Each structure stands twice: as structure tokens, then as C-alpha cells.
């Protein structure tokens, strides 16, 4: 088990406030090895910043990781040449570089529910916004029973890496989820036909749900049919004879290969509000270089292919298999260039002292929380995590559902 990152050093001198500083990069090399031993697909780009990078065996002992990963260039030179000036956080931006980043976040074990508000700032606690769907859903979830936790699942040897409570796409839920959903308000604009209704994204189900009545009754119906601990990815099928104004045919598999959620919550901490647009701009530049389209408002969530998930017939296993099939058909779902990424601002993630902070979610069920992200780190986020399904160790806060056998081959945690 890893202790404090500073324990890697033989002296107590503080580590530099830079990802590329040699002494800090040394700690990332150690962290990368520990993650790899635990079965977590891990990027080697942090190793390229090390003052003494390992020789690459594929080159018969000649050449370094730096030469292979960055075409013989320093990381900063590589980024500038390939992507141009990505900008930077303001001078004096107060990011915590002293305490441990790894383990500073604990989310992702249960469902993540992203609610449309069309805004990028909310009340200090977003569920306190009376009349909002987040407010109604919070009431419903708070009163819902949570099944007892089961210790039968194997646990990771690293405390901030957790197995998912959910089965892989296409597999039915075999036992209730022991964690209630986490709620986030977002900049997503409702794509419901009725402008008073809301849209939500649900992870790791990888689906969008439209036409949610913004009321306590609407929130209760949403929970019972789509979010309760006993319901799988496909949700509950709706029968014509029981359909009412709150229970509708309205959910589809998301078209995205990944979703990035940026904290922009100014009323909680202005650092996140400052960092989010700078990270978004860098994401645009880097993603577009890899022919990846971007959806920032939810406009790609209308007129989706196929009938709604509520109309899938058959047993639970057959319905989940159909959902898995649709997920597997998403463009670039298992890596490489192309496809589409959804990028939305959300409320407070916790750990704003590590701004910029982000969550990245994948169709495979992988959930990753990153911190200390600057515009300069966005190429690593895209090239290593989005395109290849690998963790960037120096940015990691926590992750769920990322362990894979044979981490040196395959498509990392993008596969399932």
C-alpha cells in the first residue's frame, strides 16, 4: 500500500510544484509501477519526465521512454509543436502540491447521475436549489433503503482503486448495488420535448433519459424505474397498460466514447470556476487534432438510433445483452481516433484545492477522478486516457472499474 508520496524520498524537502520536475516525476515512476502490479493499465508518459528514464526493451536497450513517447523531444516542446500554445492557469493559481493527491476522492462506486440545468454555477450545495430536479431526487434518494454492502468482491491492493459495483456491459445485475447514486447538476441543456422537463445522463449505465418531470413525483418515478439499487442498465420495461405521465419511453444509450465532467462551481471555490474554461479550451484543441467531435450542450442526444430502452423485450439477461450490443457499436468505443466526447461543467467534486479537477467516464464502466490538471496536462489526458485507456499516475485521485488482466496489451480499461 502506498504511503505519502513524499515517503519515496530519503529527505523531507518538499517536492516541486510541477509535474515535469525530475524529483516529482521520480515518484510518478514508482506510482506507475505500483498501479501496474495491481492490474491497472497505466501510462508511461510520466516516466518520460523522469531524469533517468528506463531503457525500452523493444529498442534492444537503446533509446529512452522520452524518445519513444515524445519523438525525442521534451514534453513541453512536443506539446507546443503538435498542439500549439494551450494556455496556462493564471500566475499565482493556488493549487495544493503538498498533500497526497492519490486517495483525495472516494466517488464512483455507485451510479453517477448528471442532471441538466444549462448552468455552470449553483447554490453552494446544488441540491439546495428548491424546485430543481437535484433537490427532488436528493429527497427521494435520502428516503430510499440501501442494501447491505457485500464483501464478497475482491478488493484492490491500492485503497483508491476500487472494483465496480456493476457488471460489464451486456451482463445482468446479479445482486443489488450497495451504494446510492451520486447527483451532479451540470451545464447540459435539457433535450426533452417539453422545455419544463429535464434530461439526465446515468453512469455506468451509459444512457440518457429525457422527459423527466421536474417534480417530486417525476424524481420518484425516475428513481424507481432507472436508478434504484435493484435495477440494471436497461431499466425497468414499461407496459402500455401502466404507462402514465411520469413513466415514459425516453431512454437511449449515449453516443459518446467518453464523457468529461469539469468542476466549475464558483460558489464553492473560484479556482474551479477559473480552471474549467481553460481546460475546456485545451480539450477542444487536443481532441479536434485526433478527429474527435465534442458535444458541450447535449445536442447530440436527440434523434438517437433504435427504439428506447424501455421497449426492449425479453428477460433481464436479453435486455442487458441488447444494451451491451448498442454500447459496443459506439464509434471508437475501444480506443483510437474519431468518435465523440461529451464535455459538461458540473458542481463541486470535492478537493477544489487540487483544481483543475475532472471526472472521466467510459462505456466500459471505468470511472476516473483527476486533479492538478492544467492545460499543459490535457495532451496526456487525451492521448493516454481517452485514446488508450490508461491512467496518468501523476493526475490520479481515485478510480473505479479500471483493473484489467494483461495490462501491457489490449485496449486498457476501454475494453470489457
Amino acid at each position: 500500500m502506498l504511503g505519502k508520496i513524499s515517503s519515496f524520498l530519503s529527505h523531507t524537502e518538499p517536492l516541486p510544484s510541477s509535474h515535469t520536475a525530475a524529483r516529482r516525476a521520480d515518484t510518478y515512476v514508482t506510482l506507475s509501477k505500483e498501479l501496474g502490479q495491481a492490474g491497472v493499465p497505466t501510462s508511461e508518459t510520466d516516466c518520460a519526465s523522469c531524469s533517468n528514464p528506463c531503457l525500452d526493451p523493444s529498442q534492444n536497450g537503446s533509446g529512452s521512454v522520452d524518445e519513444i513517447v515524445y519523438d525525442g523531444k521534451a514534453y513541453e516542446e512536443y506539446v507546443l509543436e503538435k498542439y500549439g500554445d494551450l494556455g496556462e492557469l493564471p500566475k499565482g493559481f493556488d493549487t495544493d502540491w503538498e498533500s497526497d493527491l492519490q486517495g483525495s476522492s472516494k466517488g464512483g462506486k455507485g451510479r453517477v447521475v448528471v442532471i441538466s440545468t444549462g448552468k455552470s454555477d449553483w447554490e453552494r450545495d446544488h441540491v439546495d436549489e428548491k424546485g430543481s430536479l437535484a433537490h427532488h431526487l436528493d429527497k427521494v434518494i435520502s428516503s430510499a433503503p440501501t442494501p447491505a454492502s457485500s464483501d464478497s468482491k475482491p478488493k484492490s491492493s491500492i485503497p483508491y482503486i476500487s472494483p465496480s459495483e456493476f457488471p460489464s456491459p451486456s451482463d445482468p445485475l446479479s445482486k443489488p448495488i450497495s451504494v446510492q447514486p451520486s447527483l451532479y447538476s451540470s451545464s447540459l441543456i435539457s433535450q426533452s420535448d417539453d422545455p419544463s422537463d429535464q434530461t439526465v445522463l446515468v453512469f455506468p449505465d451509459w444512457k440518457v433519459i429525457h422527459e423527466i418531470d421536474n417534480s417530486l413525483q417525476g424524481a420518484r418515478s425516475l428513481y424507481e424505474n432507472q436508478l434504484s439499487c435493484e435495477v440494471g442498465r436497461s431499466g425497468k420495461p414499461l407496459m402500455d397498460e401502466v404507462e402514465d405521465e411520469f413513466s415514459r419511453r425516453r431512454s437511449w444509450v449515449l453516443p459518446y466514447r467518453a464523457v468529461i465532467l469539469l468542476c466549475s462551481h464558483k460558489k464553492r471555490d473560484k479556482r474551479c470556476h477559473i480552471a474549467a474554461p481553460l481546460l475546456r479550451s485545451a480539450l477542444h484543441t487536443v481532441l479536434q487534432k485526433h478527429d474527435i467531435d465534442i458535444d458541450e450542450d447535449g445536442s447530440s442526444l436527440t434523434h438517437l438510433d433504435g427504439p428506447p430502452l424501455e421497449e426492449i423485450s425479453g428477460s433481464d439477461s436479453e435486455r442487458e445483452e441488447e444494451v451491451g450490443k448498442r454500447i459496443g457499436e459506439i464509434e471508437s468505443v475501444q480506443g483510437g481516433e474519431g468518435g465523440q466526447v461529451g464535455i459538461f461543467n458540473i458542481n463541486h467534486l470535492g478537493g477544489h484545492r487540487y483544481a483543475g479537477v475532472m471526472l472521466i467516464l467510459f462505456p466500459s464502466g471505468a470511472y476516473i477522478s483527476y486533479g492538478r490538471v492544467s492545460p499543459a496536462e490535457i495532451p496526456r489526458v487525451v492521448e493516454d486516457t481517452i485514446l488508450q485507456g490508461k491512467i496518468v499516475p501523476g493526475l490520479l485521485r481515485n478510480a473505479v472499474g479500471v483493473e484489467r488482466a494483461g495490462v501491457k496489451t489490449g485496449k486498457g480499461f476501454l475494453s470489457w
Side-chain angles (χ1 to χ4, degrees):
M1 184 182 297
L2 291 175
K4 286 187 175 296
I5 203 169
S6 58
S7 66
F8 174 77
L9 302 175
S10 59
H11 47 77
T12 58
E13 182 182 348
L15 288 167
S17 301
S18 169
H19 288 297
T20 57
R23 285 181 52 237
R24 187 170 288 275
D26 284 343
T27 69
Y28 296 164
V29 173
T30 298
L31 178 57
S32 178
K33 291 177 181 176
E34 297 244 10
L35 289 167
Q37 289 169 0
V40 179
T42 308
S43 164
E44 294 179 338
T45 58
D46 276 321
C47 299
S49 301
C50 176
S51 58
N52 184 29
C54 305
L55 295 180
D56 181 64
S58 69
Q59 303 296 315
N60 298 317
S62 64
S64 67
V65 173
D66 183 77
E67 292 172 338
I68 295 161
V69 176
Y70 300 127
D71 302 326
K73 304 177 181 67
Y75 177 71
E76 293 87 347
E77 181 185 357
Y78 166 81
V79 170
L80 186 61
E81 185 174 300
K82 186 167 183 176
Y83 301 108
D85 184 0
L86 296 176
E88 57 186 18
L89 297 172
K91 189 175 181 180
F93 190 85
D94 185 20
T95 298
D96 180 352
W97 286 90
E98 297 180 2
S99 57
D100 286 350
L101 182 66
Q102 290 74 35
S104 64
S105 181
K106 301 183 184 302
K109 292 184 181 179
R111 281 188 165 99
V112 173
V113 181
V114 177
I115 304 166
S116 66
T117 72
K119 302 190 297 183
S120 292
D121 195 26
W122 304 269
E123 295 293 334
R124 180 172 175 78
D125 190 333
H126 74 119
V127 299
D128 287 342
E129 293 201 9
K130 289 188 168 47
S132 69
L133 183 58
H135 182 73
H136 298 311
L137 263 176
D138 183 61
K139 282 188 172 182
V140 172
I141 292 171
S142 297
S143 62
T146 301
S149 178
S150 171
D151 295 326
S152 60
K153 270 193 174 179
K155 295 182 179 179
S156 173
S157 58
I158 299 178
Y160 47 85
I161 302 294
S162 305
S164 177
E165 289 263 345
F166 292 78
S168 298
S170 80
D171 292 335
L173 193 66
S174 59
K175 60 184 178 182
I177 303 157
S178 63
V179 183
Q180 290 287 4
S182 299
L183 302 181
Y184 293 99
S185 292
S186 78
S187 58
L188 171 68
I189 296 173
S190 176
Q191 302 298 316
S192 300
D193 292 335
D194 185 335
S196 67
D197 289 343
Q198 297 302 319
T199 293
V200 302
L201 313 182
V202 186
F203 308 98
D205 307 59
W206 212 254
K207 66 185 178 185
V208 56
I209 308 171
H210 296 302
E211 316 299 338
I212 302 166
D213 191 84
N214 194 2
S215 66
L216 188 60
Q217 296 94 325
R220 186 171 291 113
S221 175
L222 173 66
Y223 180 83
E224 292 172 353
N225 290 308
Q226 306 282 1
L227 305 179
S228 85
C229 296
E230 293 82 15
V231 176
R233 279 181 173 84
S234 59
K236 288 184 179 178
L238 299 182
M239 306 301 178
D240 289 336
E241 59 270 21
V242 298
E243 187 171 351
D244 57 34
E245 62 176 310
F246 300 117
S247 301
R248 306 167 185 165
R249 289 169 168 78
R250 59 206 176 159
S251 60
W252 282 265
V253 165
L254 288 169
Y256 311 128
R257 59 177 292 175
V259 169
I260 301 173
L261 303 175
L262 302 170
C263 179
S264 65
H265 200 165
K266 185 177 183 180
K267 287 187 176 69
R268 289 301 294 262
D269 195 282
K270 66 180 181 181
R271 285 171 289 190
C272 290
H273 186 74
I274 292 168
L278 299 175
L279 299 183
R280 180 185 295 272
S281 176
L283 282 164
H284 267 266
T285 299
V286 178
L287 288 168
Q288 288 172 354
K289 196 78 172 179
H290 294 280
D291 296 322
I292 297 175
D293 295 329
I294 299 165
D295 182 15
E296 296 183 284
D297 56 14
S299 56
S300 295
L301 302 177
T302 60
H303 305 100
L304 295 173
D305 294 338
L309 302 184
E310 291 86 351
E311 291 185 2
I312 300 175
S313 60
S315 65
D316 288 346
S317 294
E318 290 169 334
R319 298 183 75 244
E320 297 300 312
E321 185 177 351
E322 174 61 22
V323 173
K325 178 182 176 183
R326 295 188 191 186
I327 289 175
E329 292 173 349
I330 297 169
E331 184 179 356
S332 303
V333 68
Q334 294 196 2
E337 301 194 343
Q340 185 177 54
V341 167
I343 303 177
F344 307 103
N345 290 343
I346 59 168
N347 65 280
H348 181 58
L349 288 174
H352 43 250
R353 66 186 183 276
Y354 301 115
V357 292
M358 62 171 61
L359 299 180
I360 313 178
L361 304 111
F362 295 88
S364 65
Y367 163 106
I368 296 153
S369 175
Y370 278 162
R372 293 184 187 144
V373 185
S374 69
E377 300 306 312
I378 293 300
R380 288 174 172 161
V381 171
V382 172
E383 294 182 5
D384 301 333
T385 302
I386 303 292
L387 270 64
Q388 300 183 54
K390 297 179 180 179
I391 295 286
V392 179
L395 304 179
L396 181 62
R397 299 184 67 196
N398 85 301
V400 176
V402 296
E403 293 165 287
R404 298 290 186 275
V407 296
K408 294 297 182 183
T409 60
K411 303 181 186 304
F413 51 70
L414 302 179
S415 61
W416 63 86

